[in-house]
Structure formats: C-alpha cells, structure tokens
Amino acid sequence: MIRLEDYGWKFDGSERWTLDGVTLEIAPGECVLLAGPSGAGKSTLLLALAALLKGRHGGASSGRLYLAKTDITDASPQAVAGIVALVQQNPDANFATLSVQDEVAFALENQCLERDAIVASVDRSLRWLGLESLRTRQLSTLSEGQKQRVALAAALACEPKILILDEPTASLDPDSIGEVLQALERLIENEDMTVIIAEQRLHEFAALKPRVVVLDGGKVAGDSPWSLVPAEIREPFRLDVDPAEPPTDPDERNAPRMTAQALRVERGDARVLDDVSVEVGQGEVVGLMGPNGSGKSTLLLALMGLIPIQSGKVVMGETDVRAGAPYNLGREAGLVFQNPDHQLFADSVRAEALFAAENFGCAGPTVDDKATALLEQAGLSERVEDHPYRLSYGQKRRLNIVASVLHDIKLLLLDEPFIGQDRQNAAWLIATVKRLALSGIGVLMVVHDPHLAQACCDRIVFLKSGRVLMAEPLPQAWNRLAELDYGAYLPASWRQHDAARSD
Amino acid sequence: MMRLAPTRSILHRLHPWVKMTWLVGATTAAVVYSSALAAVVLVAALLLVLVLAGTPPWRLPGRRLCLLLAVALLAINTAIYQRGYGDLDPSPAEGLRHGLLAAARIIAVILASRLFVATTDPTNLGQGLIALGLPYRWAYALITALRLEPLFSQQTRIVYWAQLTRGVRYDSGPLLRRWLMLRRLLLPLIASSLRAAADMSGAMENRCFGLYKQRTSARPIRFRIGDALAMASGLAFLIVLGVVV
C-alpha cells in the first residue's frame, strides 16, 4: 500500500535532513505506530504521506514515495485526498466549518457528491464514532474528546484507504482517550483500514497490537511487532526516584505558598469554578487532574488574578490576589501556559531567560549566573544566542520554565507541561519540578497522565465540573479515585491492583 | 465578536438574502431618514425582531457600551443646543430631537448588525454569497475567518496574560517602551496565527478542497415564497416608515 524508498526531506534553511533515507513498507490493513523523540521526523513523515510537504513547505526531497503503485513523491495534496486522510494533533486545526454535520460533510461536498449520498455518508460516519446526538452542535461547544472524534468522523467520511493520526491523545483526558481508542479499534476490525499513528504514549495503543516503527534523527531506528517492542519504549513513563531523596513531609508544609478558599468563577453565563478550595505548601508538588473542561486551566488563571473571581479568596504568600495586579503577582509566582510559542518574547534564548527578571528589576550578576546554570541544566547553553523560535518544541518548553523561575518565585503553576513532550523532555521536566520543590517552591500542575502524576506529585486535587471532587496525598488519591469509579485516571499498576481487588 | 445565537427561530430559517436585504435597508434608512421619530420607531422594530429571534437585547454583547454611546450622543446634542453654539440659537427641543436622532441612528445600525449576525448561520451565508456569484473559495475564506476569529482572540489573551505574569506593564512607562512591548505581543501572535492558517489550509486540501471548480452542499438553501414575502415586508416597512413618519 505504502512504500518509501530511501526517502528524505530537508526543509529550506535547515542544515540537516529531517527525514533521511527512510525505507519502509506498510501493507493494507496494518496499524503502525510511529515512535521516537521530538524532532525525529514523525510529523514530517505524516505530512509527506498526505502529500502536504511539496509546494506547501519549502524544501527538497530525495528518494521515492509510492502509494499503491503510484509515485506520489511530487504529488499535490489533492492527488491523494480521499485516499489518505490526515487528522492533526490539535482537532481545532482540522476544522474548516462551524458545526458537526457541516464538518463531516465537508470532504464529500468538495468531491461534488449528490446531497443524498452526502447525507448517507455523514450518517454512517457519525454512527461509527457514536456522534449522532451531536449532529447539529456547534464545534466550539464540544469537549476536546468530542472534537477529536468529530475530526476522525470528518476524515473517515470519504472512506479513505489510509488514516493518519498525529498524536491523537496528546491533550485528551483518560476518558476521551478511551473513546478515541474504541473508535479506532472498530475501524481496524471492521473496515480493514491502514492506520498510521505518530505518538509518544505508546502504552495507550496496546489494545490495537500495532507494529511499531521508531524514528530517530530522521532515520528508521527500529521496526517490530508490538510483542517485540522493548519495554522501555512500550510501557508507561516511569521515573526512578532517587531513594536518597526525602519525600516531602506533610508536617513541613506549614508555610502555604498559596491558599484558595471557596472560589467561584463565572465566564459568560457559565459557572466554571464553584466552591473550589486548594492549598499548595512550601516544597509541595500538587497535581491538578480531572476531565477536559472541568476548570483546571481556569483555576490557574484565577489563582494568578488574570480573570475575575466572583467570590472566595486567594492568598499568595501574604498577598491577597484579588487586591494585587497580575504583574506584581508575577514576582511571587510563575505561570507556564500550555503552548510554548505563546510565551516567547525576546530575540535570543538568553534574553528570554532574563526577560521576567529584568521586568521585575532583579537583573544583576547573581541572576546572570543563575541563568547560565539553569540554561546549562536545560541543555540550552550552546543555544543562548539563537532566536527562541529556532528551538525544538521540547527546548522551548524548557526555556519557558527557566524564564519563569529565575527571579526567585515561591510558587510555580504549570498548565499541562507534558503535552507533546518525549520521554527525555518529560524526564527533564520531572527532575526539574522535583529540584524546584526541594528548593522550597510550591508547584501546582495540570496533568492528565496518571503515570506522570505518580512520578512527580505529592498530592492530587481532582476537579469535576468545576468542583473539587477529591484532594488527597499519593498514594491514597489513587484508592479514592478507584472508589469514586474513576479507574481510567489511575496508573496502569493501580488499575491492575484495583481490578484484582474487585475480583 | 460574530456569534450565531443558540436558539432556532423563524428568523434563523430565513434565506440569508432576506437578512442581508434587511441589514442594508435598515442601515440605509437609519442614515438617510432625518426624522427622530422614524429612527426611534426603527429601533423599536429592531428590538422587537431581536426578541422574536430569541436574542433579547439585554443579553447582547456590548450592550452597555452601545447604551453609553447613545446616552453620550443625546447629552452632547442637548447640551450644545441648550446653550447655542456658533450660528445655532439656543433651542432645547431641537437639541433633544438631534440627540434622539443621533442616538437612535447609532443604536439602529448596531442592532441591525447584531440581528444579522445572531440569526445567520455563516455556512448559509457562504452559500448565499456563492448563489450570488461569489467563487466558493472566497466564500470559504469568510467562513474560515469566522472559524479562526475566536481562536485568535483566545491566543491574544493568552499572550497578553503570559506577558503580564512576566512583569510586562502596558499601563505605565515611556511610550516608546510600550510600543516596543507591543512588538513582543505581536510576534508570538503572528507566528501562531500563520501556523493555524497553514494547518487549516492543509487539512482542507487533504479533504479535497479545491479539487473541482464547483462543490455541492449537504444543506442546500432555497429562496422560497416565504423568504420573498419576508424580504418584501421588511422593505415595505422601511419605505412606509420613511414616507409616513
């Protein structure tokens, strides 16, 4: 079905080949997981398969790329459209219309099908993905999991032979991941479709029993069936915590870095947070979990005084947040947003690291030395003169964190810092969070992956529909979540333990 | 911000040509008619239609600003005519008339736009424009712009918040420094906007957009007799308003 013969791609302005001599064959009906670190060329390979490189991104190719027996190395996107369907990481990036039914019908309308045929195909696609009840809904009103399923339905409407997914679970909560996986299982079993998925979290796809192709540095570094994939690639991320490192003692958290009491936040007509109380102690790492849309990101914004609080109180150190301006609260607390590109403001990596410190009037030799040390820890010491936009996604995330902590903050708020991060970057993030906590900084982080929460959090606060459902230290939090029937939010080892206990 | 109201009234089901005609007609009437009473009646009619469309005016976005603007226009005109200005003799009644006319005109234009936005599905609007001869690529440029607008607004807020938390202040400091900070606001916005636009166009081409010169529709819209009657009634009302009042 797909054959790459020594295929390579080099973007204009880049010194290296992003894909370099890739030789690969994928048979009809196969399910292939593309794995590998950030920058390995996974997304570029997906774009090449959808013929979205040539003519859209400046660059040069080498080798040949075949779809069935047709050479599509230099083909236009329209030449493979309808045969190869691509679903990008962010579902919003896929949508061209405003409602579910219009989005699913979009490709069919472009193919100039008659109305009856379009309606029949839309019905079938919505049924496949269990979306019939959402047919007339506006896309902007859907949850992330629902959006991802609509993007799948829209891609499947014209019955492609090959479905390509770029990190489909990256920003989904465990329930939504389950929905998407069920849909994929049905497709592979019933439709004999070739499915190619680029992913970091391979363990989520174990049920599909995929073939795993590992890319590294643009080359194929491994290719094996699921059963032969090495455990360190296949299994959930775990961090070997240094046993010499003392766990945070709850009794030492008597100096809370931040206390929020009975917060109520409304946005438009909707009550997003209701009676939410959270506390983060000195040196404590608190994981904020919960389904998509439960109010986690809104809580971080409210804690930083960036959105109005209707009632309740937030105290940061000794400052009442409702009485302080956000630019002053920034001296006490750093907030790292989800997308690294939204928080890069300076013209060089070093200037970016020092940006907040200079704005707060803390710049000087001591901060300079600290910046040098932190940039070295982040593996950025050789990139200090580069423009931040030239860094990889993982490097940008590291720079965001360095830039947020340089001016001696007391509290660090992180909004889904692990999205799109490979194992190496995730390990750096976890180690950094733990190091910051040891220095006394309180950390509150939004996290979906229970394995990552397990690796770095002392306590879990679980939000559901804007209310605190549970706030417990680990490992009691996993037991409590199991009792509350939130098994999907448990690490794999606890899920097995929970299942065994139920039996 | 352009948002379709969540309710589905009879007005929502009217052909977009009808609402385009009403919008152009009401805006023209508001500007051309010089009678304060006509302008006030036009405002009252638009308010009634908004309520019928399930979008009561007290829930409209920007209602406070709109009201404030109207009150300001009324007050300024009344004050100017109260004292007289240049060649104008003092005339409180004339001031009130001019004030009402100016305030009603601005409110009528805003309400007419809101009515159009709140009751017109952008996809139907695109189809209406295609039916008027606009190439479908252009119509989709409008629809995708509407898709991206809330996304860009949200990104602007996030970049602004990220700057605030890193000590950037737009409310103090030398003007030149603030201009330089604005550049720092725009850079991440431009970068992410270009990426979003590129991702979306890739996703559209991957789903056969541009494959043919024409495209079909799963929800074709038809101009029915009811649409013709609604269009004629609206225009008749505006003409009668101009002639009688």
Side-chain angles (χ1 to χ4, degrees):
Chain A
M1 171 59 80
I2 295 170
R3 196 167 83 249
L4 292 100
E5 289 180 355
D6 204 22
Y7 184 79
W9 177 267
K10 188 164 96 166
F11 286 103
D12 284 344
S14 173
E15 288 171 4
R16 70 176 185 93
W17 288 81
T18 306
L19 292 174
D20 190 3
V22 174
T23 297
L24 194 65
E25 272 194 49
I26 298 172
E30 258 196 297
C31 175
V32 176
L33 268 188
L34 283 180
S38 299
K42 301 187 294 295
S43 296
T44 307
L45 181 55
L46 299 189
L47 290 175
L49 295 175
L52 284 168
L53 278 177
K54 273 267 159 94
R56 299 188 54 80
H57 297 270
S61 67
S62 66
R64 309 312 301 172
L65 171 54
Y66 296 94
L67 182 61
K69 289 180 180 168
T70 310
D71 186 343
I72 59 160
T73 316
D74 300 315
S76 70
Q78 282 88 356
V80 303
I83 304 168
V84 179
L86 170 69
V87 178
Q88 303 181 74
Q89 182 180 337
N90 175 4
D92 276 316
N94 293 284
F95 298 149
T97 68
L98 294 111
S99 76
V100 172
Q101 60 183 350
D102 288 347
E103 191 59 32
V104 179
F106 182 75
L108 305 161
E109 293 171 335
N110 291 329
Q111 290 178 319
C112 286
L113 298 187
E114 292 298 324
R115 183 179 177 273
D116 291 346
I118 296 174
V119 171
S121 289
V122 169
D123 286 346
R124 194 190 57 236
S125 295
L126 292 176
R127 205 167 45 245
W128 269 350
L129 276 300
L131 293 165
E132 297 102 315
S133 61
L134 303 179
R135 172 186 282 273
T136 56
R137 284 272 292 274
Q138 293 287 296
L139 293 167
S140 58
T141 65
L142 303 182
S143 72
E144 290 301 304
Q146 289 169 333
K147 282 182 186 173
Q148 193 65 271
R149 283 192 290 150
V150 171
L152 262 176
L156 294 171
C158 50
E159 298 183 55
K161 303 283 182 222
I162 301 164
L163 176 65
I164 296 176
L165 307 163
D166 194 358
E167 300 208 24
T169 66
S171 54
L172 299 186
D173 62 41
D175 286 331
S176 304
I177 290 174
E179 289 172 5
V180 171
L181 281 174
Q182 278 176 10
L184 286 175
E185 274 184 81
R186 281 199 300 275
L187 276 174
I188 292 168
E189 277 176 21
N190 304 329
E191 304 300 324
D192 199 28
M193 192 175 285
T194 306
V195 179
I196 304 169
I197 307 165
E199 253 298 339
Q200 299 288 354
R201 296 165 8 167
L202 270 59
H203 61 277
E204 302 284 8
F205 296 86
L208 304 181
K209 298 279 184 289
R211 166 186 167 194
V212 176
V213 174
V214 181
L215 288 183
D216 197 359
K219 296 174 190 290
V220 175
D223 186 349
S224 55
W226 180 254
S227 56
L228 299 179
V229 177
E232 68 267 20
I233 296 176
R234 195 180 61 187
E235 290 184 358
F237 188 88
R238 287 195 183 92
L239 185 78
D240 295 326
V241 180
D242 182 357
E245 188 180 286
T248 313
D249 182 351
D251 293 338
E252 287 179 8
R253 293 184 208 127
N254 53 5
R257 293 304 199 191
M258 184 278 303
T259 308
Q261 289 175 332
L263 285 190
R264 182 165 59 85
V265 173
E266 291 170 5
R267 300 183 87 173
D269 293 332
R271 183 172 292 191
V272 187
L273 296 176
D274 190 11
D275 196 24
V276 171
S277 297
V278 183
E279 186 178 286
V280 181
Q282 182 177 326
E284 187 184 26
V285 183
V286 178
L288 195 54
M289 296 182 77
N292 291 122
S294 57
K296 302 182 295 295
S297 298
T298 303
L299 177 59
L300 299 192
L301 297 175
L303 296 178
M304 284 298 287
L306 293 167
I307 54 173
I309 296 169
Q310 270 64 45
S311 68
K313 189 174 184 181
V314 183
V315 178
M316 191 96 71
E318 292 177 0
T319 310
D320 182 346
V321 166
R322 293 179 81 176
Y327 47 78
N328 284 331
L329 292 169
R331 288 175 194 275
E332 300 281 327
L335 170 56
V336 178
F337 292 83
Q338 275 180 27
N339 186 339
D341 287 334
H342 290 155
Q343 39 206 325
L344 296 172
F345 309 116
D347 297 330
S348 74
V349 168
R350 187 169 187 81
E352 182 64 37
L354 292 165
F355 181 74
E358 284 175 355
N359 287 331
F360 290 123
C362 317
T366 314
V367 170
D368 272 355
D369 292 347
K370 194 173 168 186
T372 304
L374 282 174
L375 287 170
E376 193 172 344
Q377 278 174 15
L380 297 171
S381 51
E382 289 180 6
R383 309 290 304 268
V384 287
E385 297 307 324
D386 284 349
H387 197 284
Y389 277 105
R390 296 187 70 88
L391 301 181
S392 72
Y393 190 82
Q395 288 170 328
K396 285 176 189 170
R397 170 59 81 219
R398 295 178 186 199
L399 180 57
N400 291 156
I401 292 178
V402 170
S404 300
V405 302
L406 209 55
H407 54 286
D408 287 331
I409 54 166
K410 308 284 188 294
L411 178 74
L412 180 62
L413 307 176
L414 300 166
D415 195 356
E416 300 203 39
F418 295 106
I419 286 184
Q421 302 297 318
D422 59 23
R423 283 172 178 252
Q424 194 187 353
N425 279 316
W428 181 87
L429 271 166
I430 292 170
T432 301
V433 164
K434 285 185 157 288
R435 202 166 37 243
L436 292 169
L438 280 173
S439 73
I441 294 175
V443 180
L444 178 62
M445 71 159 87
V446 176
V447 57
H448 276 142
D449 188 328
H451 306 95
L452 295 167
Q454 166 102 327
C456 60
C457 296
D458 300 310
R459 198 155 57 88
I460 300 293
V461 173
F462 195 93
L463 286 188
K464 172 83 168 81
S465 306
R467 298 179 75 96
V468 176
L469 187 72
M470 177 222 72
E472 298 268 3
L474 285 176
Q476 292 93 315
W478 302 136
N479 288 331
R480 186 83 183 107
L481 280 175
E483 285 168 17
L484 293 167
D485 209 14
Y486 281 89
Y489 290 79
L490 302 180
S493 54
W494 281 84
R495 267 182 238 172
Q496 288 156 8
H497 171 72
D498 184 44
R501 206 174 51 172
S502 304
D503 290 343
Chain B
M1 193 180 291
M2 184 151 174
R3 289 278 159 84
L4 181 69
T7 49
R8 301 288 294 171
S9 67
I10 292 173
L11 278 98
H12 286 80
R13 293 195 289 274
L14 287 175
H15 196 286
W17 290 353
V18 177
K19 288 171 273 188
M20 278 196 273
T21 309
W22 286 1
L23 173 65
V24 173
T27 307
T28 308
V31 173
V32 170
Y33 296 169
S34 56
S35 156
L37 182 59
V40 170
V41 171
L42 180 59
V43 167
L46 286 167
L47 286 172
L48 179 68
V49 179
L50 271 166
V51 172
L52 290 176
T55 52
W58 52 89
R59 283 199 197 149
L60 288 179
R63 57 198 173 274
R64 286 192 190 124
L65 186 66
C66 177
L67 206 60
L68 195 70
L69 190 64
V71 171
L73 284 169
L74 184 63
I76 290 167
N77 276 280
T78 312
I80 288 172
Y81 279 89
Q82 187 80 30
R83 294 183 180 178
Y85 185 80
D87 294 337
L88 291 176
D89 293 328
S91 169
E94 193 64 6
L96 188 65
R97 194 186 74 78
H98 275 274
L100 272 177
L101 179 62
R105 272 176 172 168
I106 197 88
I107 291 179
V109 171
I110 291 170
L111 291 181
S113 318
R114 289 290 179 200
L115 179 66
F116 180 75
V117 166
T119 60
T120 310
D121 180 332
T123 306
N124 287 349
L125 173 61
Q127 284 191 44
L129 293 172
I130 291 168
L132 285 174
L134 190 75
Y136 78 81
R137 285 169 181 273
W138 287 62
Y140 264 85
L142 170 75
I143 294 169
T144 51
L146 294 171
R147 262 276 307 131
L148 288 172
E149 187 274 333
L151 204 64
F152 291 163
S153 298
Q154 187 191 24
Q155 286 174 356
T156 307
R157 272 197 304 275
I158 291 171
V159 172
Y160 177 67
W161 285 334
Q163 293 199 339
L164 278 183
T165 57
R166 296 199 188 160
V168 173
R169 294 186 63 169
Y170 286 98
D171 61 346
S172 68
L175 202 58
L176 181 64
R177 187 172 177 279
R178 279 190 263 174
W179 272 107
L180 290 173
M181 293 314 302
L182 198 61
R183 186 179 69 90
R184 294 187 197 279
L185 179 73
L186 290 176
L187 189 67
L189 279 180
I190 291 169
S192 59
S193 303
L194 289 175
R195 183 166 300 165
D199 286 348
M200 183 187 278
S201 67
M204 290 170 75
E205 283 183 279
N206 181 248
R207 285 185 289 152
C208 311
F209 189 74
L211 195 60
Y212 300 111
K213 283 188 177 172
Q214 305 290 327
R215 69 193 296 278
T216 51
S217 172
R219 291 194 295 132
I221 51 168
R222 290 201 192 99
F223 193 79
R224 298 167 196 274
I225 188 82
D227 295 310
L229 285 172
M231 187 189 275
S233 307
L235 287 175
F237 167 76
L238 292 170
I239 291 165
V240 169
L241 187 68
V243 172
V244 176
V245 185

